[in-house]
């Protein structure tokens, strides 16, 4: 269930390309969540009405259910639609990663190369190539279930960090200008931390070890490059000199 909803956070990476993010981003995220939740519930009700639920632990439950009632041609059509759907999800996630690299680089935490935008296409072209090549390599050499676990723990850690960051910023920077404010603070951030931590603890020990390695690489990049070139740190240093 968690993995099915993973892509909705990618919508937030397009905030800078939305005319009115304060109004439109919550509408887009919440509306898509509501529609997809209703569709998931409807499909689950239909599937469990066709096939005993204990037989649905397969990778293609919809196609399996249609084969179960001898609707093979419909099952093939559904499988084709599933492949198309997965392709669109991959494109959205790749898009989100390129925008994250762009934002991080613009803040000085990565080399400025990642913040360059193609004059002709008006997109971060280097980010797109780097992300595409990296994803291709990982998909080719790492088993899918291992990638799924790493994706889960990385996303859960990111959600937890963001939730904690909201609590900290509300205390340390109460007057900071915000384009969007999370409602019902601190209840929602605390619930996010609790649920994300619980889900992360259910993952295998090998996943935690792999994640620790990736986290170490990220920390090395930050302390060797990002911390020295951070635009936020530079702004704070200038304020201290002025004061």
């Amino acid at each position: 269930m968690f993995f099915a909803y993973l892509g909705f956070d990618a919508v937030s990476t397009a905030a800078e390309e939305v005319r009115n993010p304060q109004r439109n981003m919550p509408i887009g995220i919440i509306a898509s969540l509501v529609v997809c939740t209703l569709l998931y519930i409807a499909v689950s009700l239909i599937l469990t009405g066709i096939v005993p639920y204990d037989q649905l632990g397969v990778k293609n439950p919809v196609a399996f259910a249609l084969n179960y009632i001898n609707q093979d041609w419909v099952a093939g059509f559904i499988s084709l639609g599933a492949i198309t759907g997965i392709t669109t999800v991959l494109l959205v996630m790749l898009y989100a990663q390129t925008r994250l690299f762009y934002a991080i680089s613009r803040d000085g935490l990565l080399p400025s190369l990642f913040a360059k935008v193609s004059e002709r296409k008006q997109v971060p072209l280097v980010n797109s190539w780097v992300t595409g090549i990296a994803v291709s390599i990982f998909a080719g050499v790492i088993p899918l279930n291992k990638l799924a676990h790493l994706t889960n723990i990385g996303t859960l850690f990111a959600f937890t960090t963001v939730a904690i960051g909201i609590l900290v910023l509300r205390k340390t920077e109460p007057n900071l200008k915000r384009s969007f404010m999370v409602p019902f603070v601190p209840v929602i951030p605390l619930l996010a931390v609790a649920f994300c931590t619980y889900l992360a603890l259910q993952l295998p020990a090998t996943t935690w070890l792999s994640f620790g390695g990736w986290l170490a690489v990220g920390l090395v990049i930050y302390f060797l490059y990002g911390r020295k070139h951070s635009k936020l740190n530079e702004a704070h240093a200038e304020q201290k000199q002025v004061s």
Side-chain angles (χ1 to χ4, degrees), residues 2 22 33 36 54-55 80 107 115 123 135 138 145 152 166 168 175-176 194 200 211 213 224 240:
F2 165 75
Q22 178 74 20
L33 276 169
C36 289
D54 56 353
Q55 297 184 29
L80 178 62
D107 291 340
V123 296
V135 168
F138 291 145
N145 63 328
N152 285 343
I166 291 172
V168 172
N175 299 320
L176 185 68
F211 173 70
L224 292 182
K240 288 182 179 179

Side-chain angles (χ1 to χ4, degrees), residues 27 30 34 59 66 86 95 98 105 119 125 157 168 173 193 214 221 225:
I27 292 175
I30 294 173
V34 170
K59 297 180 180 179
L66 291 168
I86 291 173
Y95 164 87
T98 60
S105 175
E119 295 183 2
L125 198 59
F157 180 79
V168 172
E173 300 284 349
V193 171
W214 279 112
I221 293 173
Y225 182 90

Side-chain angles (χ1 to χ4, degrees), residues 36-57:
C36 289
T37 299
L38 294 175
L39 288 174
Y40 277 126
I41 293 172
V43 171
S44 298
L45 287 172
I46 293 171
L47 291 181
T48 52
I50 296 175
V51 182
Y53 75 91
D54 56 353
Q55 297 184 29
L56 288 173

